[in-house]
Amino acid sequence: GVNEEPGYLAREQRRVQSILDWLEQRATPEGFVPGWFSVMDLNLVITAQWVDFRGLFEWRGRPSIDRLVALHEKRPTIPASHPSLPV
């Protein structure tokens, strides 16, 4: 029924962008808790990778989130969990 309800998809896209705006206001380039790799940092990075892999929507363009994801994507444990890799 998703194709039959374009209003639903537009509403969800607005929600996603609103959440990203909220995260952008709270993130620093070093993370949500500077000096620590927090659960919130981990969740943001792996979600961004999954969204990119699936081509769901554009999340880039928010400076703090962009820098935070770029910083933590280089962590040794993150590349091993990329969605493009076999399980």
Side-chain angles (χ1 to χ4, degrees), residues 2 6 10 19-20 23-24 39-40 49 52 55-57 61 64 69:
V2 171
I19 290 166
L20 289 169
L23 290 168
E24 174 67 17
V39 170
M40 199 162 175
Q49 289 179 337
D52 281 347
L56 297 176
F57 56 84
S64 292
V69 170

Side-chain angles (χ1 to χ4, degrees), residues 18-87:
S18 176
I19 290 166
L20 289 169
D21 291 342
W22 185 87
L23 290 168
E24 174 67 17
Q25 292 173 0
R26 284 148 184 86
T28 73
E30 296 81 37
F32 288 99
V33 183
W36 296 90
F37 182 51
S38 72
V39 170
M40 199 162 175
D41 298 323
L42 174 65
N43 285 325
L44 179 64
V45 172
I46 61 174
T47 299
Q49 289 179 337
W50 188 82
V51 166
D52 281 347
F53 178 69
R54 297 288 180 204
L56 297 176
F57 56 84
E58 185 55 53
W59 58 267
R60 289 178 182 80
R62 292 166 178 86
S64 292
I65 291 176
D66 291 345
R67 286 190 298 265
L68 187 152
V69 170
L71 172 71
H72 290 306
E73 276 184 325
K74 298 173 186 164
R75 295 180 73 84
T77 54
I78 297 295
S81 65
H82 195 277
S84 65
L85 299 174
V87 179

